[in-house]
Amino acid sequence: MSLTKKLTVITAAVAVAFSLNSCGGKKNKVSPAQAAASGGFVTVTTPASELEQVKRELDEKSIPSGIGIGESTDEMTARSVATDEARAEVAKSIDVHVQRLSESYAQNVSGESKRIWEEAVRQLTTQHVRGANVNRTISQFNPENGRFKIYTLIVLDPNLFKAAISEAMARDEEFELRVKKDDMMSRLDANIAEYDARYRR
């Protein structure tokens, strides 16, 4: 091969290599903003993440639930703290679900009647929160410091939720006449069937 041809081949190879390196460099380069945003953190899955997924599924079915986390050197204390925290979250969940049902099925009810019904459902249902059963528990122990960490999910039996809704409805004639009762009850019955099939312990 002549010297001219050799130089042409070498020049072409260098150009191709430079082009590939340039493309690769742009592709893999991390901007300063991206580097700052990561801040050394990595995505992890915790027991809370697992329980939150179950809670999201329950929320979609209008089934009140709550997650609590307790930590202590004593396992029973950690469990008690987690359970109390979960029950407090169930009470908040009840408020959310009552509001959603009211917005969905009581559009034709006067504001005052709707408010009285919502408050009655909350009061009647909250009476059962203390007796709500623990649905799932995840326990962790750290041998380095001798501490327990307990993750607890509590689910309110939707039968109790439906009973409270029905009782509150029966107290107010206007509400019972104007609310979309059949639609609401059908949805609640479907939620109960889902709970019995997938979540009852």
Side-chain angles (χ1 to χ4, degrees):
M1 184 181 292
S2 68
L3 181 59
T4 304
K5 286 185 179 179
K6 284 183 180 178
L7 287 175
T8 302
V9 170
I10 291 170
T11 302
V14 170
V16 169
F18 180 77
S19 174
L20 290 173
N21 286 336
S22 297
C23 292
K26 288 180 182 176
K27 194 172 186 179
N28 298 323
K29 189 175 180 181
V30 177
S31 72
Q34 289 172 317
S38 69
F41 288 95
V42 294
T43 301
V44 296
T45 300
T46 70
S49 305
E50 178 184 332
L51 296 182
E52 283 166 358
Q53 175 59 38
V54 177
K55 188 179 187 311
R56 279 192 292 273
E57 293 171 2
L58 291 163
D59 284 341
E60 290 174 2
K61 302 296 180 185
S62 295
I63 300 174
S65 62
I67 298 170
I69 303 172
E71 185 176 340
S72 174
T73 53
D74 178 70
E75 183 180 3
M76 292 311 296
T77 299
R79 285 180 180 274
S80 179
V81 170
T83 300
D84 288 345
E85 188 176 298
R87 286 201 171 105
E89 291 301 311
V90 171
K92 293 178 185 176
S93 179
I94 289 169
D95 287 346
V96 171
H97 291 302
V98 169
Q99 186 65 39
R100 286 180 184 169
L101 289 171
S102 180
E103 290 172 356
S104 297
Y105 301 106
Q107 299 99 325
N108 298 322
V109 181
S110 69
E112 181 62 13
S113 185
K114 189 187 297 185
R115 184 192 64 76
I116 292 171
W117 175 80
E118 290 174 1
E119 186 56 33
V121 174
R122 289 186 183 101
Q123 289 177 355
L124 290 164
T125 312
T126 302
Q127 294 172 10
H128 300 289
V129 171
R130 294 303 305 176
N133 295 323
V134 172
N135 184 270
R136 298 188 189 186
T137 298
I138 299 173
S139 304
Q140 293 183 326
F141 178 69
N142 186 337
E144 293 182 5
N145 59 17
R147 295 183 71 83
F148 292 90
K149 195 167 190 177
I150 309 294
Y151 299 79
T152 297
L153 171 69
I154 288 182
V155 181
L156 182 71
D157 187 334
N159 286 287
L160 299 175
F161 193 42
K162 179 186 175 184
I165 288 169
S166 298
E167 184 177 339
M169 197 179 300
R171 293 180 180 183
D172 188 324
E173 185 176 352
E174 180 198 342
F175 191 94
E176 189 167 24
L177 288 172
R178 292 180 177 275
V179 74
K180 297 176 182 176
K181 183 178 178 180
D182 292 341
D183 290 348
M184 184 189 289
M185 291 301 149
S186 293
R187 177 177 176 182
L188 293 171
D189 286 338
N191 297 343
I192 290 169
E194 182 81 5
Y195 171 81
D196 288 343
R198 297 184 58 191
Y199 303 107
R200 184 177 290 283
R201 287 287 185 266

